[in-house]
Amino acid sequence: FPEMLSNPRLILVQGTLNVVMKQNVTLSCHSESGSPPVRYTLFKHNQKVSTLKRPDLTPSLFNLTINSASDVGEYKCKAENNNTRGGKYSKSLNFTLIEPISKPVLSSPTSQAKKGQNVTLSCLAENGSLPITYIFFKGRQSISLPMKMQKREAAVIFLFINSSGDFGTYKCRAENSFRNNTKYSNSFNFTLAAEERSHSQPLIISLVLILLLFVIGFALAIKFFIIPSYKASK
């Protein structure tokens, strides 16, 4: 007697669910029980991709190539025979596209700072599959814990400018699950604010004026007091 099909199983037999561009993958759709022949149809987001017919209960293999971002997402398969109305559906498989990250950009709302000031640094890679992990560096030393960002948004750290050593070179590093794709940002330096640099200028000007007045006063003293006194004594 004709037998209804069991729900098919959709499994990955070649490749990975985390895919890169131009990667080939193979999916197997199989109902373990039911009366053949069986017609298997592969769907992506409820759109038909391909249909294969099997004269027996052996699996149907679907070969795919990931050519664009539209090729990833949710896949299901449907099994049908002459005794199964509407067919039976499998559970879904989801492919995720892994893209290499672009060089991150390190920036700050200000490039000048003074001692005792709080500043921020932001690091963002415009391209690359999520999540992306960022780490901040000063010179070659890391100054933050790894920051895993699940959204396309910048990682931010807050710094306190406490000494002249805090005006060094900063960088950040970004990486995701794409193999061998760690990228470093541009260098960023904070410079001493102009008002901070100018604090010493009034002092220097004052010292110069005092010295100049001293010289002028000494010259006048020689002219009007010391020289007349010397002449009078002769």
Side-chain angles (χ1 to χ4, degrees):
F1 295 96
E3 184 183 355
M4 290 183 61
L5 291 168
S6 61
N7 285 83
R9 292 182 62 216
L10 182 65
I11 61 173
L12 184 68
V13 294
Q14 179 186 336
T16 60
L17 292 178
N18 293 325
V19 294
V20 297
M21 289 295 186
K22 306 301 180 183
Q23 181 175 334
N24 296 318
V25 295
T26 301
L27 297 175
S28 169
C29 186
H30 180 221
S31 288
E32 294 182 349
S33 63
S35 299
V38 184
R39 183 170 67 251
Y40 295 100
T41 304
L42 183 68
F43 293 87
K44 180 179 73 65
H45 297 304
N46 297 321
Q47 293 184 343
K48 185 186 296 185
V49 175
S50 179
T51 298
L52 296 173
K53 292 182 179 180
R54 301 297 300 172
D56 49 28
L57 289 180
T58 56
S60 281
L61 300 179
F62 296 93
N63 298 307
L64 305 174
T65 301
I66 306 301
N67 288 315
S68 68
S70 63
D71 293 328
V72 298
E74 183 183 83
Y75 283 80
K76 288 184 178 181
C77 74
K78 181 174 72 171
E80 300 171 277
N81 67 359
N82 296 331
N83 198 45
T84 306
R85 290 186 178 183
K88 296 282 189 174
Y89 285 88
S90 71
K91 294 182 179 180
S92 62
L93 285 179
N94 282 279
F95 286 100
T96 302
L97 183 64
I98 300 178
E99 297 178 287
I101 52 178
S102 57
K103 180 178 179 179
V105 176
L106 183 64
S107 61
S108 175
T110 179
S111 60
Q112 293 187 335
K114 57 185 179 181
K115 294 178 181 178
Q117 181 178 341
N118 292 306
V119 295
T120 60
L121 279 174
S122 301
C123 185
L124 176 64
E126 291 285 351
N127 299 303
S129 53
L130 299 169
I132 297 176
T133 301
Y134 298 93
I135 300 179
F136 291 84
F137 293 85
K138 180 177 177 294
R140 295 185 177 182
Q141 183 177 1
S142 64
I143 57 173
S144 74
L145 295 173
M147 305 170 68
K148 182 176 286 189
M149 310 302 292
Q150 302 290 345
K151 297 180 180 180
R152 187 75 59 189
E153 57 187 14
V156 179
I157 62 169
F158 299 89
L159 302 173
F160 180 70
I161 303 299
N162 190 44
S163 65
S164 58
D166 296 325
F167 290 94
T169 300
Y170 293 86
K171 281 189 177 184
C172 68
R173 186 180 75 195
E175 58 187 5
N176 62 4
S177 55
F178 196 95
R179 291 184 179 180
N180 303 319
N181 188 233
T182 298
K183 294 289 182 65
Y184 284 88
S185 72
N186 54 292
S187 298
F188 189 92
N189 290 76
F190 290 105
T191 57
L192 190 63
E195 60 182 37
E196 187 86 353
R197 294 197 302 267
S198 64
H199 286 337
S200 60
Q201 293 179 358
L203 179 61
I204 295 174
I205 293 173
S206 299
L207 291 175
V208 170
L209 288 175
I210 292 173
L211 180 61
L212 183 61
L213 290 174
F214 178 78
V215 171
I216 293 173
F218 185 70
L220 291 174
I222 291 176
K223 181 177 180 180
F224 293 104
F225 295 102
I226 298 177
I227 294 178
S229 298
Y230 178 75
K231 289 180 178 181
S233 64
K234 286 187 175 184

